[in-house]
Amino acid sequence: MADVMMTSGSSFEGYEIVEYLGFVNVQTVLASNFFKGIAAGVTEMSDAESEKLTSKLEQANEVAIEKLMGVAKRRGADAVIGLALNYTEFANNSVGTIASGTAVKLRKKQATVSVIEKELYVSNYYNRLVPRPVRVKITGKGKEVTIAADFYNYNMDDIKAIRADVELTNLYEEKLLIKNLDFVFEKGNITLIESKSIECKLPSKDILLLKDSKVTISKYVTSRGVYACNDLPINVSMPLHRLAALKEKRGIDAVEKYRTDGMIWTCNCGYVNEAGAEECVVCSRKQEDMKSTSKFNPDEMIAKMQTKEYVIEIKDVLMEYIKDIDNQYRMELLEIMESGLQYEKTRGNMKDTVIEKVEKVFEGH
C-alpha cells in the first residue's frame, strides 16, 4: 500500500490487522497574531471572518494529518486507526491541532469464493471392453464451472484421453447436452481413472438441481493409438436411487442385478454370459460370488407391497414372507416398518419411503 490509510474506527473493510506498531501523534500550531486580530470582536464576527477562521482550522487539520501519515510511514505502518483531531491552546494565545491514533500493519483479506459440488452416477453403459463412464463431477467456484469424469478401465489400458458428450438432467427433467468434451488423465493405466477438470458452460446456480448424467464416447486414445467407439450405450433400467444402492454394494461399475435362467446369467456389470462361464467376460466377476445365499426372491414381495396404501398394510405383506427371509435382513426390515409407522402418524403417507428402503436392503442380492 503506497499511502497510509486512516480511520477514526478500529478496522478497514477487506483488510485485517496483523501488527500494532504503537501510538502516534503530531501537532500543528496556527500563528498567534491571526487570532489577535479577531479576538476583540469575536462576538460580532462577520461571515467573512468566520469563513476565514474555518479555512485556517481546516488547513491546520490537513497539515496535522499529513504529518501523522509521515510519522506512521516511518514506523512502517500501512494505516492509522482511532484517528482523533483535537484543538488546543498553546502559549502566547496560539491555537493548534493535535492529531493522534494507533499505527498498524495490514494484510488484505483473501476473497472467499463459494464452492458448489455435485457428483452424479452415470446411468448408461457400454456392454463391452471399452472405458466405462461411471461418475461425473461438477464444481462451481464463483462464476467458473468445471466438469470431470471417472471411467472404469477394465483392460488397464494406458488411456490418455477420452472424447465424449455428456447429457445432464435436472429435477425438472430438463436436459442439457454438452458435446465433444475432451477428458484427459494424469494416470490412465489403473482400474478407475479420474480425468482433470475442464470448463463447462453451465450456470453455478443450476448445479444443485442436477440429478442424472449420461455419457456417450466418440473416441479414446491409448498409448497404442486412437480408437473409435461407434456403439450406442445402454440405459440403466432401474431407478436412480436403486442404481446408487447397487453401486454401493457391488462396485461403482455395477449397472444390473445378477440374474440367471439356467442358460445364461447377467453380471452386475451388465454383460450377459453363457451359463457355463464361471466369471464374466468383461469385468471378471465370479458368478458364484454374485449368487445370493438366500432362495428368497424379494421382487414378488415388493410388487405386492406396491399394491398397498399404508405402512400397516405393507408390514402385513412383510410378515407373510418373513419366515423365508434370511436372518441378517429380518431385523433391519422390521425396524424400517416400525419407523415408517411412527412417521406416518405425524407426516402422512410414508408408503413410497418405506418401499424404497426395503428395495435398498435387497439391492444387489
Side-chain angles (χ1 to χ4, degrees), residues 130-355:
V130 296
R132 171 170 291 190
V134 291
R135 184 167 50 203
V136 168
K137 304 172 186 175
I138 301 171
T139 304
K141 292 182 180 179
K143 294 183 179 180
E144 181 186 37
V145 177
T146 59
I147 187 170
D150 298 343
F151 295 80
Y152 212 80
N153 183 13
Y154 290 118
N155 277 341
M156 299 283 283
D157 286 330
D158 187 12
I159 297 176
K160 306 295 186 183
I162 296 175
R163 179 170 294 173
D165 299 339
V166 176
E167 181 186 89
L168 302 171
T169 304
N170 67 17
L171 297 173
Y172 300 105
E173 299 297 338
E174 298 166 339
K175 300 183 186 302
L176 172 67
L177 180 63
I178 310 173
K179 296 182 69 67
N180 293 326
L181 291 173
D182 287 313
F183 297 108
V184 296
F185 310 90
E186 286 187 359
K187 191 170 184 180
N189 60 348
I190 55 178
T191 303
L192 184 64
I193 55 175
E194 302 177 10
S195 79
K196 294 182 178 180
S197 296
I198 53 178
E199 280 190 45
C200 170
K201 292 183 179 179
L202 177 74
S204 292
K205 63 182 179 63
D206 293 343
I207 293 175
L208 294 180
L209 290 173
L210 298 174
K211 69 169 187 176
D212 185 27
S213 65
K214 289 182 169 61
V215 178
T216 303
I217 299 172
S218 57
K219 60 181 69 175
Y220 60 97
V221 183
T222 75
S223 54
R224 298 191 303 272
V226 180
Y227 297 87
C229 183
N230 298 318
D231 294 356
L232 290 176
I234 302 167
N235 289 331
V236 171
S237 58
M238 65 184 69
L240 294 176
H241 70 272
R242 295 187 67 182
L243 176 65
L246 178 68
K247 288 180 178 295
E248 288 171 8
K249 289 187 177 182
R250 296 298 186 179
I252 196 171
D253 65 316
V255 291
E256 290 286 352
K257 291 177 65 175
Y258 166 81
R259 58 183 180 273
T260 181
D261 61 4
M263 301 294 293
I264 56 173
W265 58 276
T266 302
C267 180
N268 287 145
C269 76
Y271 189 79
V272 179
N273 297 271
E274 296 293 333
E278 293 184 358
E279 63 179 42
C280 178
V281 171
V282 170
C283 69
S284 299
R285 284 182 173 88
K286 295 185 181 300
Q287 182 180 189
E288 197 63 31
D289 294 340
M290 286 182 286
K291 288 181 179 178
S292 172
T293 57
S294 173
K295 296 179 180 178
F296 171 70
N297 182 357
D299 293 339
E300 179 185 320
M301 181 185 74
I302 292 171
K304 195 169 182 178
M305 288 178 172
Q306 293 282 7
T307 66
K308 305 302 179 181
E309 187 65 24
Y310 300 105
V311 177
I312 187 66
E313 298 173 306
I314 295 172
K315 184 179 179 182
D316 289 340
V317 174
L318 172 64
M319 299 315 293
E320 292 176 21
Y321 291 87
I322 196 76
K323 66 180 185 299
D324 298 323
I325 300 174
D326 285 355
N327 290 334
Q328 66 187 65
Y329 304 130
R330 288 181 187 176
M331 187 57 67
E332 185 176 357
L333 291 167
L334 289 170
E335 288 175 355
I336 289 170
M337 295 302 157
E338 290 306 315
S339 175
L341 286 168
Q342 292 301 316
Y343 278 116
E344 199 164 65
K345 292 176 182 178
T346 56
R347 300 186 182 181
N349 193 295
M350 296 292 292
K351 170 186 172 178
D352 292 340
T353 301
V354 166
I355 292 177

Side-chain angles (χ1 to χ4, degrees), residues 9-177:
S10 59
S11 62
F12 294 88
E13 185 176 353
Y15 293 87
E16 58 182 335
I17 297 172
V18 294
E19 187 178 355
Y20 290 87
L21 301 176
F23 182 75
V24 289
N25 73 93
V26 297
Q27 54 190 11
T28 301
V29 181
L30 291 174
S32 59
N33 60 355
F34 171 74
F35 288 96
K36 286 179 181 178
I38 62 172
V42 69
T43 57
E44 299 177 0
M45 187 182 297
S46 66
D47 289 342
E49 290 172 326
S50 177
E51 287 180 9
K52 190 174 183 180
L53 174 60
T54 301
S55 175
K56 281 290 184 180
L57 291 174
E58 287 177 351
Q59 288 177 22
N61 288 345
E62 290 173 2
V63 171
I65 289 173
E66 286 181 11
K67 285 184 176 180
L68 191 66
M69 288 176 65
V71 172
K73 204 166 190 175
R74 287 192 291 275
R75 290 266 191 102
D78 299 312
V80 173
I81 61 172
L83 174 66
L85 293 171
N86 295 294
Y87 300 108
T88 187
E89 184 178 353
F90 298 100
N92 301 322
N93 294 318
S94 299
V95 174
T97 299
I98 297 177
S100 62
T102 301
V104 296
K105 290 188 75 68
L106 301 177
R107 178 170 57 207
K108 197 163 188 176
K109 292 180 180 177
Q110 294 295 322
T112 56
V113 179
S114 60
V115 178
I116 304 172
E117 296 179 307
K118 188 82 171 187
E119 289 191 1
L120 303 167
Y121 287 127
V122 176
S123 62
N124 62 352
Y125 64 97
Y126 290 90
N127 207 2
R128 63 188 183 91
L129 284 170
V130 296
R132 171 170 291 190
V134 291
R135 184 167 50 203
V136 168
K137 304 172 186 175
I138 301 171
T139 304
K141 292 182 180 179
K143 294 183 179 180
E144 181 186 37
V145 177
T146 59
I147 187 170
D150 298 343
F151 295 80
Y152 212 80
N153 183 13
Y154 290 118
N155 277 341
M156 299 283 283
D157 286 330
D158 187 12
I159 297 176
K160 306 295 186 183
I162 296 175
R163 179 170 294 173
D165 299 339
V166 176
E167 181 186 89
L168 302 171
T169 304
N170 67 17
L171 297 173
Y172 300 105
E173 299 297 338
E174 298 166 339
K175 300 183 186 302
L176 172 67
L177 180 63

